Amino acid sequence: MSSQSFSLQADYQTFIDELGKSDFKGDINTDLATRIVFATDNSIYQNLPQAVIAPYHHDDIVCLTQLLSHSKFRHIALSARGGGTGTNGQSLTSSIILDTSKYLTHILEINPEQRWARVQSGVIRDQLNDALKEYGLFFAPSLSTSNRATLGGMTNTDACGQGSRIYGHTSDHILESTCIFADGTSHIIKSKPTKQDLKQNSTRLQSLSDKLSNQLTAHHQEISQRFPKLSRYMTGYNLAQCQNHDNNNHLNLNKLIAGSEGTLAIVTELKLNLMPIPKFKYVFALFYTDFQDALKSAHQLLAIHPTSIETIDDNVLSLAKKDPIYTELEDFFPREVTR
Ligand SMILES: Cc1cc2nc3c(=O)[nH]c(=O)nc-3n(C[C@H](O)[C@H](O)[C@H](O)COP(=O)(O)OP(=O)(O)OC[C@H]3O[C@@H](n4cnc5c(N)ncnc54)[C@H](O)[C@@H]3O)c2cc1C
């Protein structure tokens, strides 16, 4: 990379100058060190952004997107970033990064009776579950990076992991999202809106919903043929599940926002469904002489409705034995069978 490409492009400098003069209260970073830190995530890719912007609150993002919607700045892209744990480089951009993990980290409300929590999108999954412990509740969708991934990132990748057989994905637990569209308008999107809620929709949201609903109905057959019937759904626009054709064509826009990798809206807040923490947990370790036999028996094991099944081959097991935490697990793996 030449030193020329490290310097801020003139049009970005103009944008940053105008943002600095606006009501925006958050951090605007254009120094090379910060840009280099945000040039990588958990993927193999590297992409140097022009600036890294950390909003203090929802209104900052409204201010930012409204400015970006002016015709002179239309070519400037904004990529939201949570924990940066994505493996496909989804949060990287050569344009502007919106860092939600710095200030949008507040748990706004917990309602244990009705079993929901309202959070800002930069709240980390484990942070929420730590706060919920005293109520005997938890946010069920899980993932390996749960001590770093944010709920905004989980929403936008429709994340799930251990336990998804029983608890489903992030999108199954979104009751409401607060979203800012590219034109700077802000919308509360309910997963199960009542007639009253629909009446309160902004004209923009209602017109988008109507157009989408018409398209989904018109192409229903093709969508159901083309989308694979998978329980672990892929990231992307979930056209197959955002309209329920068995329930009066009910449209759940949160199913579409979830998995859209920040391309449809910036999510600033989420109202999330909570589950009771299970009273008991069991772990069964079964041993097979052949890896293929282990895979083949998965169907039989499903009959006992496990939360999840992990298959570990001897390669992984021998590597795990070298890890210091293995001593906490070794009772599950008796020497005589795992030698
Ligand atoms: C070792 C490892 C294990 C993993 N295990 C799992 C797993 O078990 N299950 C699983 O599902 N994934 C897994 N992942 C992938 C990753 O952790 C998830 O995709 C996670 O949900 C990303 O969250 P994040 O906060 O880090 O988001 P980021 O990586 O920062 O962003 C992910 C995407 O969401 C968008 N985004 C983030 N915040 C917002 C927002 N507020 N508004 C709009 N768009 C936003 C970004 O633009 C980007 O497109 C794993 C990754 C690693 C490295």
Side-chain angles (χ1 to χ4, degrees):
M1 225 184 264
S2 71
S3 60
Q4 183 68 36
S5 59
F6 286 145
S7 46
L8 211 59
Q9 290 168 20
D11 47 348
Y12 282 87
Q13 189 61 61
T14 311
F15 173 73
I16 295 295
D17 291 345
E18 288 204 24
L19 186 66
K21 286 186 217 139
S22 73
D23 290 336
F24 184 84
K25 302 274 185 311
D27 296 352
I28 304 171
N29 299 292
T30 53
D31 62 288
L32 188 57
T34 308
R35 289 164 62 205
I36 286 176
V37 168
F38 284 82
T40 56
D41 60 359
N42 251 313
S43 69
I44 56 167
Y45 306 108
Q46 188 170 6
N47 204 352
L48 189 71
Q50 291 287 312
V52 178
I53 293 179
Y56 268 135
H57 41 50
H58 172 96
D59 289 351
D60 265 355
I61 308 179
V62 172
C63 179
L64 177 70
T65 43
Q66 278 178 353
L67 187 59
L68 276 174
S69 69
H70 289 185
S71 54
K72 62 181 169 178
F73 296 131
R74 276 271 163 82
H75 62 290
I76 296 184
L78 187 68
S79 182
R81 174 164 168 140
T85 68
T87 48
N88 309 319
Q90 306 102 308
S91 65
L92 303 182
T93 179
S94 55
S95 189
I96 293 179
I97 287 194
L98 181 82
D99 175 18
T100 63
S101 72
K102 190 164 184 186
Y103 300 117
L104 300 182
T105 54
H106 301 285
I107 297 171
L108 303 170
E109 202 178 346
I110 295 175
N111 187 323
E113 287 78 32
Q114 294 175 14
R115 294 206 329 227
W116 55 256
R118 210 159 52 78
V119 298
Q120 288 184 317
S121 57
V123 168
I124 290 172
R125 194 263 189 189
D126 282 1
Q127 175 195 347
L128 174 61
N129 279 351
D130 285 347
L132 292 171
K133 240 179 225 157
E134 63 177 292
Y135 304 102
L137 297 170
F138 79 125
F139 176 66
S142 170
L143 74 177
S144 310
T145 48
S146 63
N147 63 357
R148 286 174 179 73
T150 61
L151 292 156
M154 286 183 71
T155 298
N156 276 273
T157 55
D158 204 3
C160 67
Q162 287 271 349
S164 63
R165 283 198 65 247
I166 307 288
Y167 295 116
H169 317 144
T170 299
S171 63
D172 296 318
H173 297 268
I174 299 174
L175 302 174
E176 211 172 284
S177 66
T178 306
C179 291
I180 298 174
F181 292 167
D183 59 359
T185 56
S186 175
H187 307 271
I188 293 179
I189 298 178
K190 299 197 178 192
S191 296
K192 290 184 185 162
T194 60
K195 281 195 180 135
Q196 190 59 30
D197 292 331
L198 291 174
K199 271 191 208 152
Q200 285 168 1
N201 272 354
S202 61
T203 324
R204 170 126 167 85
L205 185 60
Q206 200 48 52
S207 122
L208 276 174
S209 305
D210 291 344
K211 275 188 202 151
L212 179 68
S213 195
N214 290 340
Q215 290 295 321
L216 290 169
T217 306
H219 300 285
H220 170 47
Q221 206 155 1
E222 192 178 358
I223 291 169
S224 65
Q225 272 165 9
R226 288 197 184 235
F227 276 65
K229 311 274 178 288
L230 297 172
S231 58
R232 169 62 174 109
Y233 223 68
M234 76 289 278
T235 298
Y237 297 149
N238 191 344
L239 299 178
Q241 293 179 351
C242 67
Q243 192 172 40
N244 186 343
H245 298 278
D246 299 327
N247 179 14
N248 217 8
N249 284 347
H250 163 70
L251 188 67
N252 181 356
L253 283 179
N254 283 324
K255 278 274 175 193
L256 199 64
I257 299 284
S260 67
E261 297 187 335
T263 59
L264 295 179
I266 304 292
V267 178
T268 60
E269 276 180 34
L270 290 155
K271 184 177 170 185
L272 300 168
N273 173 51
L274 306 175
M275 302 292 292
I277 297 174
K279 288 208 170 64
F280 304 101
K281 278 186 192 168
Y282 295 98
V283 178
F284 295 100
L286 306 176
F287 299 92
Y288 298 83
T289 46
D290 188 274
F291 191 66
Q292 292 302 324
D293 289 344
L295 295 183
K296 278 185 209 147
S297 79
H299 264 293
Q300 281 165 291
L301 294 176
L302 289 179
I304 58 167
H305 299 299
T307 315
S308 64
I309 304 175
E310 281 285 339
T311 314
I312 302 173
D313 66 9
D314 48 356
N315 211 353
V316 174
L317 193 58
S318 39
L319 286 171
K321 282 180 179 171
K322 292 178 193 153
D323 196 288
I325 68 153
Y326 186 74
T327 47
E328 293 171 33
L329 303 169
E330 62 189 349
D331 287 351
F332 286 108
F333 303 100
R335 269 172 208 277
E336 53 285 10
V337 274
T338 62
R339 238 172 318 162

